Amino acid sequence: DTEVTQTPKHLVMGMTNKKSLKCEQHMGHRAMYWYKQKAKKPPELMFVYSYEKLSINESVPSRFSPECPNSSLLNLHLHALQPEDSALYLCASSHGLAGGTDTQYFGPGTRLTVL
Amino acid sequence: AQKITQTQPGMFVQEKEAVTLDCTYDTSDPSYGLFWYKQPSSGEMIFLIYQGSYDQQNATEGRYSLNFQKARKSANLVISASQLGDSAMYFCAMNPREDNYGQNFVFGPGTRLSVLP
C-alpha cells in the first residue's frame, strides 16, 4: 500500500485566519516532505522531516510552520498568509534511504486559496 | 548544481500509439536515482518508474519503460499503447546524492501529454 492521505482537499482562508493542513502515511516511512506547487510549475520543496526531526527548511516564511507529531503524521500550520501563497500543497513520504534510491510517494494535495 | 531538462512543454499522441517523453539531467554525483511521475488534473503526483544510475537494465513497469542512456545523461520515458487516461503532466526527477535522504529531489519543468481519441 503506497497511500499518503491529505486533508482537507480544498481550503479557502482569509489573510488573518489560522488553519492547518494534515498529512498521514502508514507505510513505515521515516522521511516526510511538504511541497508547494503553483500552476504549470514543478513542486518546490518547503520542508523535510527525517526521523521526526526537521532536517530541511528551504527558506520558507515563518507564516508556514511545520510539525511532525509522530512518524506517521505531518502538519503544516498556516497563519497570516498572503494571496500569493495560494497553491497546491503536496505532502510526500519516503523510506529515508541513502544512495539515490529513495522514492517519494505523494498525497493528493490540498488546494489552498488565500483571499 | 543538479538540473533536469524536459524540452517538450507539450506532446500529442494518438490513442493506442507509443510516445516518448524526453528527459536529460546534469549531475556530478556518481550515484543517483531517476524517477518519473504523472500528475493528472486532479493534482496527485503518481510515481511511475525508477532507474538507478548503476542499474544495468532499463526499468520497466507495465506500459512504462525508461530508456536510460547514462553516457548521454538521458532518461526518456516510453509509454506504450497510450490510453486516454494517460493525458496528464509528466515530471522527470532526480535524487542525486549518495548520502542524503531525498532532500535534493530535483524536478524537471514537466511535459503535458494529451492523448487523442
Side-chain angles (χ1 to χ4, degrees):
Chain A
D1 185 11
T2 56
E3 188 179 61
V4 177
T5 59
Q6 288 186 246
T7 55
K9 282 188 168 37
H10 301 273
L11 179 62
V12 179
M13 59 187 290
M15 290 190 285
T16 58
N17 292 156
K18 284 186 180 181
K19 296 286 185 184
S20 296
L21 309 185
K22 296 186 185 303
C23 174
E24 189 168 5
Q25 58 87 13
H26 294 288
M27 295 179 278
H29 289 173
R30 302 315 300 267
M32 296 187 76
Y33 311 79
W34 279 115
Y35 287 88
K36 173 183 177 181
Q37 187 180 23
K38 301 287 266 185
K40 300 183 181 180
K41 296 289 186 183
E44 299 173 19
L45 184 65
M46 300 175 72
F47 301 105
V48 180
Y49 274 84
S50 181
Y51 291 79
E52 299 162 48
K53 296 275 190 280
L54 182 63
S55 62
I56 292 283
N57 175 345
E58 292 285 1
S59 303
V60 179
S62 59
R63 56 185 185 269
F64 294 92
S65 174
E67 178 196 19
C68 189
N70 60 56
S71 60
S72 300
L73 292 173
L74 187 65
N75 298 322
L76 186 62
H77 302 297
L78 314 173
H79 173 56
L81 294 193
Q82 304 296 310
E84 60 265 28
D85 297 322
S86 298
L88 178 68
Y89 288 84
L90 291 162
C91 173
S93 71
S94 70
H95 283 293
L97 303 171
T101 63
D102 209 29
T103 301
Q104 292 186 23
Y105 295 93
F106 286 80
T110 294
R111 288 194 187 275
L112 173 66
T113 302
V114 182
L115 301 176
Chain B
Q2 290 82 10
K3 186 179 178 183
I4 297 274
T5 302
Q6 294 179 255
T7 57
Q8 307 149 315
M11 289 276 289
F12 290 90
V13 65
Q14 209 67 39
E15 194 178 8
K16 298 181 186 177
E17 291 186 351
V19 63
T20 298
L21 306 184
D22 294 341
C23 172
T24 58
Y25 59 92
D26 187 20
T27 181
S28 56
D29 291 304
S31 176
Y32 50 89
L34 295 157
F35 305 81
W36 277 92
Y37 287 86
K38 170 185 177 182
Q39 188 174 40
S41 56
S42 59
E44 184 174 3
M45 292 279 283
I46 302 166
F47 166 67
L48 296 178
I49 196 167
Y50 160 81
Q51 178 83 43
S53 58
Y54 291 120
D55 292 343
Q56 297 295 315
Q57 304 275 353
N58 285 342
T60 60
E61 288 286 348
R63 294 187 300 111
Y64 304 106
S65 61
L66 204 152
N67 184 358
F68 180 49
Q69 298 187 46
K70 191 171 181 178
R72 298 180 62 182
K73 292 189 175 178
S74 74
N76 299 338
L77 177 70
V78 180
I79 305 175
S80 63
S82 297
Q83 301 172 356
L84 295 177
D86 294 334
S87 294
M89 183 72 91
Y90 288 80
F91 290 100
C92 181
M94 176 170 62
N95 186 345
R97 293 234 182 124
E98 199 164 56
D99 60 352
N100 81 351
Y101 299 92
Q103 289 93 327
N104 291 333
F105 222 72
V106 177
F107 284 91
T111 294
R112 178 160 295 282
L113 177 66
S114 299
V115 180
L116 305 174

